[in-house]
Amino acid sequence: MKKSLPKSAVKESIDNLPAGLCFSLPSGMPLLINRVMYNLSLAIDGQSLQNAEGFWRTLTEGEIKNGAEAVSRGAQPVIRLPDGSFRTFSRSELTVEGRKVIQIIAADTTDLHNMAEQLRENNEALRQLGARLRSYNEQLGELTKREELLSAKMRIHDDVGRTLVRTRYALAQTNPEE
C-alpha cells in the first residue's frame, strides 16, 4: 500500500474545500493555493495571489478593490464581497518538517453576518416596542388618575343632587302652603 497520495490528489481535495486556503513561506511565496482563495484574491486585490504576505497586508491595512469592502481589519479581517457574501480571514504559523509555513484561511461567514444583522434589527424593534410600552404605561397612569377624578366628581355630584332633593322634600314638608 502506498504511503503517500499524489500531489494532484491533494490539490484536487484542497480545491474542493468551501473555505479559501493558502500555504506560503514566511517570505510570502505561495506553496499551495486552493481555487477559492485564488478567486478571493482576484475579487479583493484585483490580481492573482503571487505574494501571500502582500495579500495579508492588503486584507489588514491595504486598499480593497473591485467593489469589495473591509468590514473589519486586524488579526481577523472581515471582507464583504460584491456579491454580498462575507469572508473572515485568519493567519497562523505552522511548522512542517522543521520549516515555518504560513497558513491563511478564508471562512465563509455570510450566514453569521446575516444572523447578526437580523439580531440587530430585532433588537432595534424590541427597543422601539419597549419605548412604546413605557409611553403607554405613562399614559395609562395619567388615564387612571383622570378616571379616579371623574369618578370622585360623579360621586360628589350624585351626593349633592341627593342632598338637594332631600332638602327640597324637607322644605316642602315644613311649608305645605307653597
Side-chain angles (χ1 to χ4, degrees), residues 27-67:
S27 66
M29 185 176 119
L31 299 173
L32 179 65
I33 302 169
N34 75 349
R35 188 177 312 124
V36 173
M37 186 64 84
Y38 177 82
N39 291 332
L40 287 171
S41 71
L42 289 174
I44 293 168
D45 197 19
Q47 57 189 353
S48 63
L49 203 157
Q50 299 296 318
N51 182 325
E53 289 303 299
F55 181 64
W56 183 254
R57 279 191 300 280
T58 298
L59 293 172
T60 58
E61 59 196 44
E63 181 185 348
I64 306 296
K65 300 175 183 168
N66 297 333

Side-chain angles (χ1 to χ4, degrees), residues 123-137:
N123 284 341
E124 178 60 22
L126 287 174
R127 188 194 62 72
Q128 290 175 358
L129 178 61
R132 286 195 307 269
L133 287 173
R134 280 189 292 282
S135 173
Y136 175 73
N137 191 29

Side-chain angles (χ1 to χ4, degrees), residues 31 33 88 95 111 115 124 126 141 157 162:
L31 299 173
I33 302 169
T88 300
T95 304
D111 290 342
M115 286 188 282
E124 178 60 22
L126 287 174
H157 184 269
R162 280 195 288 283

